[in-house]
Amino acid sequence: MQIIRTEVTQASAPTGQPILRVIFCGEGGDCVTVDMARVEGGNDEAAIDRAKAILVQTATFDVAANDYDARSNGNFDEVAVTAANDENGGVYIFEYRDGEAGHQVPPSRMPSLEAAREEAVRCAIDLLVDLQPGTDDLSGWLVRVRDENGEVLCAIDVREAQAARQTRQ
C-alpha cells in the first residue's frame, strides 16, 4: 500500500480510556489504523514512529495458538530480553534506512537468524518501491538486523533486494 496521508488523533477505547490513534491512508481508499495507550515523546512524529513499529511487530506475530493467548490483554509494550538466543529463537532489532539515516524498531523475537534475515529481505524488497532512480541513493544497505547488543548480524543492500525481488516474481 502506498501511503498518501497520515493522521494522528485523540480517541477513546471502548473502555473509555483515552488513546492515541494513527491512521495510515493509502491510494484506493485503503486505511490502516493503530490505536496506542501511550507514546513516549508525546508529539505526532513519535506517535507515527511508534505506530510503524507496532505494524512491523504485528506482521511478525503469529495468530493466537491457544485460548490463553487469544484471551491475553495483548500488551506487547514491554519487551524483556533475557538472552540473545534460546530454545524459542533470538531477539533481533531491525533497522531501516530512511534517507541518509537509519530507524530502528523495538526488538522482535524470531525463530532464528535465518528467519530474521528472510524478514529483512522481504522488508528491503518493499523499500525498493519507494526509491527513485536519480533522486535516491541506490547503493548501500536498506535493512540491517542487529542483536540485542546492537551488533550488526546482517545487512540487505539494494543489489541483494533487487535480486531477491526478481527471483520471487
Side-chain angles (χ1 to χ4, degrees):
M1 176 170 86
Q2 182 69 35
I3 304 294
I4 58 172
R5 187 177 78 250
T6 304
E7 300 173 16
V8 179
T9 63
Q10 298 289 326
S12 295
T15 61
Q17 175 185 3
I19 58 172
L20 195 57
R21 177 170 288 154
V22 177
I23 305 168
F24 297 98
C25 300
E27 294 177 333
D30 293 334
C31 291
V32 175
T33 302
V34 179
D35 290 344
M36 300 169 283
R38 66 180 189 284
V39 175
E40 302 285 329
N43 60 32
D44 286 359
E45 185 176 329
I48 292 169
D49 287 345
R50 176 78 175 120
K52 287 178 183 178
I54 288 170
L55 289 172
V56 169
Q57 288 178 334
T58 302
T60 63
F61 287 131
D62 291 328
V63 294
N66 54 47
D67 287 342
Y68 176 80
D69 288 349
R71 289 188 313 260
S72 77
N73 68 359
N75 184 358
F76 299 111
D77 288 339
E78 296 178 27
V79 176
V81 177
T82 57
N85 291 291
D86 60 20
E87 64 277 356
N88 296 318
V91 174
Y92 302 97
I93 302 166
F94 290 84
E95 180 178 16
Y96 301 92
R97 186 170 91 180
D98 185 11
E100 296 299 316
H103 177 74
Q104 290 184 3
V105 297
S108 298
R109 182 167 291 280
M110 303 289 288
S112 66
L113 175 57
E114 279 147 37
R117 188 178 190 296
E118 182 60 30
E119 176 64 14
V121 169
R122 188 192 64 74
C123 292
I125 290 170
D126 289 346
L127 290 173
L128 287 175
V129 174
D130 295 329
L131 296 178
Q132 301 296 319
T135 304
D136 293 316
D137 181 10
L138 299 180
S139 64
W141 66 276
L142 291 174
V143 180
R144 293 193 283 211
V145 178
R146 297 177 177 273
D147 66 13
E148 67 176 323
N149 298 317
E151 295 295 320
V152 175
L153 301 174
C154 69
I156 310 305
D157 62 17
V158 173
R159 180 189 50 75
E160 185 175 354
Q162 288 171 333
R165 179 174 61 184
Q166 289 174 353
T167 300
R168 293 174 185 192
Q169 288 180 345

